[in-house]
């Protein structure tokens, strides 16, 4: 176990970042850490021990990095099934932070950090921001949500450790965000790309020209976005837009980030080991092949994740980046292999919508989710068929039903969505799988 402690004590100050470690050293470090994290999980996490036993494996079976393919996967439902603390590998007294993210049911999934984990998280964020060309003297506005979501606090700690000035604006309140950007001379913005699109639109309505502001970089993530969105953002605001990736289960933001080459996202491989698998068969795929990203945390103490199936579809880029970092890169993540949607940075599963609707009497099990993008912001409308009696009833009953549905959806999803009550049979029926989702978001 000492080797984990030793290894994660790497100095992550921007001047001596381990991003350029020679490959042979990096692979040796990864193997040492992999062996340590497997041992730790085997000793501390019942579910992992059980799965290793089922396969007749012990930590000694991990002799090379390729042996990782022998290990069992971890999936999102494992976190749900062991809710809240079942996968922790540290005693609660060593856990200094909890975060949570939405799961497929009403309950969130919970993730934990020791002080060392927070320090590693901070260090990878420092490396992200430094890689985007930011440094002491920059004024960084963090408009990811602060709270159980990992975005706000994750970016905050990194920006502060970098030596920048942090403006912890959190999400929402576009007019205030724009005022802060202008009045404080903000030079970099951390938020979801669609929120930044919204800020661009709002700024122009307020007569603020983003190109006149000192703002020069945006670190955007938490949801898929495209090259055309990057171009639009860069052209209309004059900033350089970077893609940052992460997920709560692994650490939060900072699993990977673009450098100034903008040719894929470097994974901080000294802490997170990436693999690509065929999502159907689970078999490992070679670099350059598209598949599902699987991540193993190499230094996490409180909640190590072994071969976590992210459901994010990407590839490991086969060649080295021009920037000289030895860290491998993944391609932009454009889609997932499950049905999770990300609306204004919040993860949503259609099954959550369904379970909220089913609790309420007077609706039929026919519904549809319509996604649009208005003024740069994602909007979600849930169209629900109501029973014919309801439509014949007085208007008051419909209003009451509308309110109930709105309340149930707000509660389950954690974001405001529109509810539209529609007549029975007005939603198109499909021959095969019900088409629950209509995505009209463009750009
Ligand atoms: O979204 C952590 C984060 C915060 C990342 C701020 C970047 C910036 P979760 O809420 O657990 O964590 O959602 C994780 O979001 O599995 C992807 O499907 C998606 N995602 C995150 N970053 C990107 C990105 C945070 N750059 C899930 N591109 C992940 C595409 C992304 N999808």
């Amino acid at each position: 176990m000492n080797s984990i402690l030793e290894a994660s004590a790497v100095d992550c100050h921007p001047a001596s970042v381990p991003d350029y470690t020679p490959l042979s050293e990096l692979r040796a470090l990864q193997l040492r850490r992999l062996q340590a994290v497997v041992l730790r999980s085997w000793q501390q996490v019942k579910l992992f021990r059980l799965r290793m036993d089922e396969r007749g494996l012990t930590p000694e079976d991990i002799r090379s990095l390729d042996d990782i393919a022998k290990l069992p996967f971890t999936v999102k439902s494992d976190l749900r099934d062991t809710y809240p603390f079942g996968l922790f590998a540290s005693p609660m007294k060593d856990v200094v932070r909890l975060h949570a993210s939405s799961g497929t049911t009403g309950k969130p999934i919970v993730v934990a950090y020791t002080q060392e984990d927070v320090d590693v998280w901070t260090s990878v964020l420092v490396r992200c921001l430094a890689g985007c060309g930011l440094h002491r003297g920059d004024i960084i506005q963090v408009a990811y949500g602060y709270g159980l979501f990992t975005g706000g606090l994750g970016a905050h700690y990194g920006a502060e450790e970098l030596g920048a000035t942090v403006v912890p604006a959190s999400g929402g309140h576009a007019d205030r965000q724009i005022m802060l950007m202008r009045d404080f001379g903000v030079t970099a913005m951390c938020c979801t790309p669609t929120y930044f699109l919204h800020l661009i639109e709002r700024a122009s309505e307020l007569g603020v020209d983003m190109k006149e502001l000192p703002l020069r970089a945006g670190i955007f993530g938490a949801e898929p976005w495209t090259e055309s969105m990057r171009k639009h953002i860069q052209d209309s605001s004059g900033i350089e837009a970077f893609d940052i990736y992460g997920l709560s289960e692994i650490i939060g933001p900072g699993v990977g980030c673009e450098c100034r080459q903008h040719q894929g996202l470097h994974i901080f491989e000294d802490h997170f080991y990436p693999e690509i698998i065929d999502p159907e068969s689970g078999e490992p795929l070679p670099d350059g092949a598209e598949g599902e990203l699987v991540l193993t945390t190499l230094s996490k103490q409180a909640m190590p994740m072994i071969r976590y199936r992210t459901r994010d579809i990407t590839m490991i880029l086969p060649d080295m980046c021009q920037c000289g970092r030895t860290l491998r890169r993944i391609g932009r993540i454009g889609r997932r292999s499950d049905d999770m949607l990300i609306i204004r940075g919040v993860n949503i599963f259609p099954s959550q919508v369904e379970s909220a609707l089913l609790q309420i009497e007077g609706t039929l099990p026919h519904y549809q989710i319509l996604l649009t993008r208005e003024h740069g912001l994602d909007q979600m409308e849930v169209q629900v068929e109501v029973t014919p009696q309801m439509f014949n009833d007085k208007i008051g009953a419909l209003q009451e039903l509308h309110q109930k549905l709105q309340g149930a959806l707000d509660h389950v999803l954690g974001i405001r969505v529109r509810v539209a009550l529609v007549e029975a049979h007005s939603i198109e029926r499909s021959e095969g799988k019900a088409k629950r989702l209509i995505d009209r978001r463009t750009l």
Side-chain angles (χ1 to χ4, degrees):
M1 219 142 312
N2 273 345
S3 56
I4 304 184
L5 300 180
E6 235 174 65
S8 54
V10 175
D11 180 4
C12 288
H13 191 272
S16 56
V17 284
D19 295 11
Y20 304 89
T21 311
L23 272 182
S24 56
E25 257 177 62
L26 179 59
R27 298 286 172 256
L29 173 75
Q30 286 175 320
L31 178 59
R32 278 203 310 281
R33 287 184 174 180
L34 176 66
Q35 289 168 329
V37 79
V38 168
L39 178 64
R40 183 181 180 83
S41 299
W42 188 74
Q43 286 172 338
Q44 309 291 343
V45 183
K46 228 159 96 191
L47 182 68
F48 183 69
R49 176 74 165 252
L50 199 79
R51 288 192 177 150
M52 290 285 277
D53 287 351
E54 277 167 11
R55 285 167 175 74
L57 288 173
T58 66
E60 284 83 65
D61 292 311
I62 304 304
R63 293 191 203 95
S64 71
L65 281 173
D66 288 340
D67 286 338
I68 197 169
K70 296 179 183 167
L71 295 170
F73 292 119
T74 309
V75 293
K76 213 187 218 0
S77 58
D78 293 334
L79 282 93
R80 187 188 64 208
D81 296 345
T82 55
Y83 176 87
F85 303 152
L87 295 184
F88 290 11
S90 293
M92 208 57 197
K93 68 177 170 44
D94 293 339
V95 171
V96 299
R97 181 98 65 82
L98 297 174
H99 279 282
S101 158
S102 41
T104 43
T105 60
K107 292 276 188 211
I109 55 149
V110 181
V111 294
Y113 304 76
T114 62
Q115 185 57 53
E116 255 184 276
D117 295 334
V118 172
D119 293 346
V120 166
W121 190 15
T122 302
S123 75
V124 287
L125 251 307
V126 167
R127 291 160 68 183
C128 291
L129 298 171
C132 300
L134 301 177
H135 43 69
R136 189 188 171 95
D138 271 301
I139 303 179
I140 304 181
Q141 185 159 326
V142 179
Y144 288 118
Y146 281 62
L148 287 175
F149 178 54
T150 53
L153 284 168
H156 181 106
Y157 274 58
E160 211 166 74
E161 178 67 18
L162 180 73
T165 305
V166 188
V167 182
S170 196
H173 308 284
D175 291 11
R176 196 185 58 187
Q177 301 275 1
I178 293 162
M179 178 190 78
L180 296 175
M181 283 158 75
R182 190 186 50 196
D183 295 354
F184 293 1
V186 168
T187 57
M189 190 74 181
C190 297
C191 61
T192 61
T194 50
Y195 191 59
F196 196 72
L197 285 179
H198 177 60
L199 292 180
I200 292 175
E201 270 208 32
R202 188 64 195 139
S204 105
E205 281 165 17
L206 294 172
V208 176
D209 183 356
M210 285 240 187
K211 288 187 176 157
E212 303 274 290
L213 301 180
L215 195 71
R216 65 169 212 280
I219 294 84
F220 303 131
E223 62 185 8
W225 55 304
T226 57
E227 277 309 311
S228 61
M229 250 162 102
R230 188 200 316 263
K231 187 169 179 331
H232 174 81
I233 287 174
Q234 296 192 152
D235 292 350
S236 49
S237 66
I239 67 164
E240 187 174 350
F242 294 88
D243 195 359
I244 184 170
Y245 169 75
L247 59 162
S248 319
E249 295 88 324
I250 297 301
I251 205 152
V255 173
C257 193
E258 283 183 344
C259 66
R260 299 197 69 179
Q261 300 289 326
H262 300 284
Q263 300 289 327
L265 295 87
H266 289 281
I267 298 288
F268 295 103
E269 281 198 80
D270 43 337
H271 296 296
F272 318 112
Y273 189 80
E275 296 171 84
I276 298 289
I277 61 160
D278 178 329
E280 301 298 323
S281 68
E283 287 306 313
L285 293 175
D287 289 1
E290 192 182 73
E292 180 181 333
L293 177 66
V294 169
L295 291 165
T296 298
T297 61
L298 295 177
S299 52
K300 265 274 227 53
Q301 304 284 303
M303 198 171 148
M305 279 287 135
I306 309 283
R307 302 195 85 204
Y308 184 72
R309 291 191 60 164
T310 66
R311 299 286 172 189
D312 291 319
I313 303 293
T314 181
M315 64 170 78
I316 293 179
L317 301 179
D319 44 1
M320 284 296 186
C321 185
Q322 299 271 315
C323 74
R325 284 177 180 77
T326 48
L327 305 171
R328 282 179 293 173
R329 292 160 300 154
I330 55 167
R332 225 177 221 295
I333 286 157
R335 63 192 174 91
R336 293 178 51 89
S337 68
D338 63 6
D339 56 354
M340 188 178 95
L341 306 167
I342 306 179
I343 312 291
R344 283 174 258 143
V346 177
N347 303 347
I348 291 188
F349 290 90
S351 56
Q352 292 174 292
V353 172
E354 187 158 317
S355 64
L357 296 182
L358 288 175
Q359 289 162 19
I360 311 256
E361 234 175 275
T363 61
L364 293 171
H366 296 293
Y367 68 94
Q368 192 164 267
I369 299 170
L370 177 66
L371 299 180
T372 50
R373 190 163 284 152
E374 291 169 22
H375 311 293
L377 275 191
D378 288 353
Q379 299 295 347
M380 175 167 156
E381 180 173 289
V382 179
Q383 300 175 337
V384 192
E385 284 189 9
V386 295
T387 53
Q389 301 90 292
M390 266 289 171
F391 251 98
N392 297 334
D393 247 354
K394 291 195 201 78
I395 194 85
L398 272 184
Q399 262 169 2
E400 198 183 310
L401 178 64
H402 188 274
Q403 264 172 10
K404 270 198 207 157
L405 285 171
Q406 186 78 59
L409 286 167
D410 287 354
H411 176 72
V412 171
L413 304 178
I415 58 161
R416 191 84 182 164
V417 299
R418 288 186 197 140
V419 177
L421 300 182
V422 297
E423 270 184 80
H425 301 294
S426 59
I427 293 175
E428 203 187 320
R429 303 290 186 259
S430 80
E431 310 255 299
K433 274 177 192 274
K435 188 163 166 44
R436 298 293 190 202
L437 182 73
I438 300 177
D439 194 345
R440 296 213 183 109
R441 293 176 295 179
T442 45
L443 208 74

